[in-house]
């Protein structure tokens, strides 16, 4: 687990550095905005696919814990899912990418299809490694995925490459699964690992997890796209939207990237401690909110100075909004943790309901507040990103509370 801790910290820092390098490598008025949107689109789309990781982790861990052996194969599911993802990415790219990367549309579509198809198989391997507790191999996958982007971003900056290179950098890490299987005998030995359910049930649960992780991804990494839609670019708001989008991406990375990478470990923890679920929940939630409080103070006090020193002046955000966005990331982290708990207890309907509630509440606030209350870009983003995820976490906790008598009865019987 120590290796996974180091890998998740490295992943968070790498994302920060890549965004920083891009801000100085790309023109702020056009290329940087397109890169932000493409980055947001790819990782939001990959977030849907992360449902495969979560359910595979749960199924492998449960099979090991309970000695069950179902007939499901995550690789068969991945092959079908990859075909579906390829079609959706191609069609979606043709329809929407003209506004995201109009200068490189064909290249952007091709890279998006490659990256998302590859990420399907990376998601399966991530779930298998986590469920089998091969933490060193999983840590290597996380670190190499992020490290490839970091190194190539530095090369692109040094060489003076433009937007096309950064589009490729966005997706290239999704091929890391091939490297891990190539160099790790332990990983290859788990290719035919047992799951605890049959194929039909596994597909049903994966679909539920995909819906939920997709809703979470739209909140975690897809917010810049939604903000662009809620505040169409014009001389009065374009720069403010770009600055807030960058601030959202930067303040999420230190809190949420490590937590996302630890989700698989949390699934295993909650599966093993399902009869003490509230006790198991308390520590990680308290930890992430504590990080949020510390992050608020750090962002408020030193965030503006860091932005002035490291980023172009067009992307500056003041200390208080920067701190509040950081704490909002911690609230999102609490939603991730409650969602992981209900998933581990196989409360898939509540899992989906919580994430959908959080997503709907966030984007409803994002689009309604400017018209109803006249809030600006920063205030709207802070309110939406704070109260939306809180609504989703409360739905998850309600699901745990309502299912507790059933679990107690089942245990007694």
């Amino acid at each position: 687990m120590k290796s996974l801790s180091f890998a998740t910290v490295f992943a968070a820092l790498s994302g920060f550095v890549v965004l920083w390098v891009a801000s100085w490598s790309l023109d702020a008025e056009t290329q940087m905005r397109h890169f932000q949107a493409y980055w947001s689109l790819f990782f939001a789309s990959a977030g849907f696919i992360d449902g495969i990781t979560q359910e595979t982790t749960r199924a492998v861990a449960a099979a090991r814990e309970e000695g069950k052996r179902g007939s499901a194969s995550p690789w068969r599911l991945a092959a079908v899912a990859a075909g579906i993802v390829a079609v959706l990415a191609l069609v979606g790219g043709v329809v929407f990418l003209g506004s995201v990367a109009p200068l490189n549309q064909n290249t952007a579509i091709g890279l998006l299809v490659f990256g998302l198809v590859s990420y399907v198989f990376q998601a399966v391997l991530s779930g298998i490694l986590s469920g089998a507790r091969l933490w060193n191999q999983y840590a290597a996958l996380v670190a190499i995925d992020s490290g490839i982007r970091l190194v190539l971003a530095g090369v692109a900056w040094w060489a003076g490459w433009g937007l096309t290179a950064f589009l490729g950098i966005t997706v290239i890490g999704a091929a890391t699964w091939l490297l891990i299987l190539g160099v790790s005998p332990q990983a290859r030995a788990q290719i035919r690992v047992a799951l605890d359910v049959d194929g039909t049930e596994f597909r049903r649960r994966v679909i539920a997890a995909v819906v939920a992780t997709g809703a979470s991804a739209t909140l975690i990494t897809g917010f810049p796209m939604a903000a662009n839609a809620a505040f169409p670019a014009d001389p009065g708001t374009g720069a403010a939207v770009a600055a807030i989008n960058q601030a959202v991406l930067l303040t999420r990375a230190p809190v949420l990237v490590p937590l996302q990478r630890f989700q698989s470990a949390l699934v295993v923890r909650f599966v093993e401690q399902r009869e003490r679920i509230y006790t198991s929940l308390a520590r990680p939630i308290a930890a992430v909110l504590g990080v949020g409080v510390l992050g608020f103070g750090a962002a408020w006090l030193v965030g503006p100075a860091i932005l002035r020193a490291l980023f172009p002046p067009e992307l500056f955000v003041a200390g208080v909004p920067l701190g509040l966005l950081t704490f909002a990331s911690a609230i999102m982290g609490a939603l991730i943790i409650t969602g992981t708990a209900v998933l581990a207890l196989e409360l898939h309907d509540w899992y989906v309901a919580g994430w959908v509630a959080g997503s709907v509440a966030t984007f409803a606030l994002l689009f309604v507040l400017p018209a109803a209350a006249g809030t600006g870009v920063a205030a709207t983003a802070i309110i939406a990103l704070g109260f939306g995820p809180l609504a989703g976490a409360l739905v998850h906790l309600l699901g745990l509370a309502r299912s507790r008598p059933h679990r107690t009865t089942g245990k007694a019987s």
Side-chain angles (χ1 to χ4, degrees):
M1 290 295 290
K2 184 179 293 186
S3 60
L4 182 57
S5 300
F6 285 122
T8 55
V9 171
F10 176 71
L13 293 175
S14 296
F16 178 89
V17 174
V18 170
L19 292 171
W20 171 69
V21 169
S23 72
W24 290 106
S25 302
L26 305 176
D27 175 71
E29 197 66 30
T30 56
Q31 290 188 330
M32 184 59 187
R33 182 173 180 178
H34 295 155
F35 171 66
Q36 283 179 333
Y38 192 80
W39 179 279
S40 174
L41 173 64
F42 175 74
F43 285 103
S45 301
F48 281 85
I49 299 170
D50 281 334
I52 299 175
T53 298
Q54 290 199 13
E55 179 53 30
T56 301
T57 299
R58 189 212 60 77
V60 172
R64 290 168 56 92
E65 185 76 14
E66 301 169 12
K68 295 181 181 178
R69 188 178 184 90
S71 60
S73 167
W75 297 105
R76 284 199 300 267
L77 181 140
V80 175
I84 296 172
V85 165
V87 172
L88 291 176
L90 182 60
V91 173
V94 171
V95 174
F96 298 112
L97 271 182
S99 61
V100 172
L103 303 179
N104 309 77
Q105 186 175 3
N106 291 335
T107 300
I109 292 172
L111 289 171
L112 185 68
V113 172
F114 161 77
L116 292 178
V117 167
S118 186
Y119 195 78
V120 170
F121 297 98
Q122 183 136 310
V124 168
L125 182 60
S126 296
I128 290 174
L129 295 177
S130 301
R133 302 181 188 178
L134 293 175
W135 301 120
N136 288 339
Q137 288 76 12
Y138 182 48
L141 188 151
V142 171
I144 294 171
D145 183 342
S146 301
I148 288 172
R149 292 189 185 91
L150 179 62
V151 171
L152 290 180
V155 173
W157 188 17
W158 176 79
W161 295 340
L163 178 60
T164 300
F166 280 90
L167 299 184
I169 288 167
T170 301
V171 306
I172 190 64
T176 306
W177 66 279
L178 289 169
L179 178 62
I180 297 300
L181 284 179
V183 303
S184 172
Q186 295 94 333
R188 291 196 300 272
Q190 296 296 324
I191 287 179
R192 298 183 182 275
V193 68
L195 308 185
D196 70 332
V197 291
D198 62 22
T200 300
E201 181 63 14
F202 183 59
R203 286 191 296 273
R204 185 188 73 79
R205 296 185 180 198
V206 164
I207 290 171
V210 163
V211 171
T213 58
S216 70
T218 59
L219 292 178
I220 295 170
T221 55
F223 188 83
M225 290 188 300
N228 284 339
F231 295 92
D234 59 47
T237 63
V241 171
I244 287 297
N245 281 343
Q246 187 77 346
V248 168
L249 291 171
L250 293 175
T251 55
R252 288 183 179 282
V255 179
L256 297 186
V257 171
L259 183 58
Q260 284 180 289
R261 299 304 185 181
F262 263 106
Q263 272 186 277
S264 297
L266 287 172
V267 170
V268 175
R269 170 188 174 92
F270 293 142
V271 166
E272 293 175 346
Q273 301 183 23
R274 63 178 64 213
E275 299 303 329
R276 304 189 304 276
I277 191 62
Y278 292 114
T279 303
S280 300
L281 268 172
R283 182 174 295 177
I285 288 178
V288 77
L289 292 179
V291 169
V293 171
L294 293 175
F296 171 85
W300 181 19
L301 294 174
V302 302
I306 292 174
L307 289 181
R308 286 193 182 95
L310 298 181
F311 291 91
E314 297 87 352
L315 299 179
F316 177 77
V317 175
V320 172
L322 202 62
L324 290 172
L325 286 171
T326 304
F327 187 74
S329 296
I331 298 175
M332 178 71 71
L335 175 57
I336 291 174
I337 294 169
T338 58
T340 304
V342 295
L343 176 67
L345 270 60
E346 304 180 42
L347 303 173
H348 291 79
D349 291 343
W350 284 104
Y351 180 63
V352 173
W355 275 112
V356 170
S359 182
V360 169
T362 298
F363 293 119
L365 289 168
L366 179 64
F367 282 89
V368 169
L369 282 173
T375 54
V377 178
T380 301
I382 291 165
I383 294 170
L385 291 172
F387 287 94
L390 181 61
L394 292 175
V395 170
H396 284 155
L397 293 176
L398 177 62
L400 290 173
R402 295 191 61 158
S403 68
R404 190 174 185 182
H406 173 75
R407 297 200 307 272
T408 303
T409 302
K411 182 181 178 182
S413 62

